[in-house]
Amino acid sequence: MTGGTREGIDLTRVLHAPQRRVFAAWTTPEDFAAWYGGEAEVPLDRVAMDVRPGGSWSLVIVMPGVEMPFHGVYREVSEPDGLVFTLLDPSAPEDAGGEIVTVTFSDLGDGTTELAFQQRGGHLTPEQYAAAEDGWEAFFDALAARLAARP
């Protein structure tokens, strides 16, 4: 944050799962649908993933009375080390290019992985970044639960 203006999101989590399993949770539709959205529903038939540089991804979060589509394009795919992709949500104008998400998975040994998450782009207000950060925190809680249930 600079001068009271929020410029993005930075989060770090230690997950109790091997690095390759964490990577798979971000790149397999069944896993991604299970944790993206936190407690909201992401129907598997509304998830599409072409995990390669230039490939697209999309999903729809379904909550009572509202659907929230998200989509983007993979810029970098480095299995099992991480991903870089664009993220557009319903509030973003299509010509904005979206936010850039960089997620890195570092093997800590003993079957644990550090997830380092960064979202940048400058397309959100400070309030929207704060809300998005809360959303990602909930998503990562669901991710940790998914990894614990399906190691």
Side-chain angles (χ1 to χ4, degrees), residues 1-63:
M1 295 174 54
T2 318
T5 302
R6 184 166 187 153
E7 298 174 351
I9 300 169
D10 291 283
L11 299 170
T12 303
R13 285 279 180 110
V14 173
L15 300 167
H16 298 285
Q19 181 187 30
R20 288 193 180 281
R21 177 66 184 106
V22 176
F23 182 87
W26 281 76
T27 58
T28 305
E30 294 81 7
D31 278 328
F32 202 59
W35 67 265
Y36 195 100
E39 295 183 12
E41 180 186 4
V42 176
L44 186 54
D45 66 348
R46 310 275 307 265
V47 177
M49 302 177 91
D50 180 8
V51 185
R52 60 180 175 83
S56 64
W57 70 275
S58 64
L59 60 74
V60 177
I61 296 175
V62 179
M63 295 179 289

Side-chain angles (χ1 to χ4, degrees), residues 38-121:
E39 295 183 12
E41 180 186 4
V42 176
L44 186 54
D45 66 348
R46 310 275 307 265
V47 177
M49 302 177 91
D50 180 8
V51 185
R52 60 180 175 83
S56 64
W57 70 275
S58 64
L59 60 74
V60 177
I61 296 175
V62 179
M63 295 179 289
V66 66
E67 292 190 356
M68 296 174 49
F70 290 85
H71 66 280
V73 173
Y74 294 100
R75 291 187 166 185
E76 297 176 29
V77 176
S78 179
E79 184 176 356
D81 300 314
L83 302 163
V84 178
F85 57 90
T86 59
L87 169 67
L88 287 129
D89 67 32
S91 67
E94 283 294 325
D95 63 351
E99 295 284 299
I100 305 299
V101 171
T102 302
V103 60
T104 304
F105 313 119
S106 299
D107 183 355
L108 299 178
D110 297 331
T112 60
T113 302
E114 180 183 80
L115 180 155
F117 174 92
Q118 184 179 78
Q119 179 178 328
R120 294 286 185 274

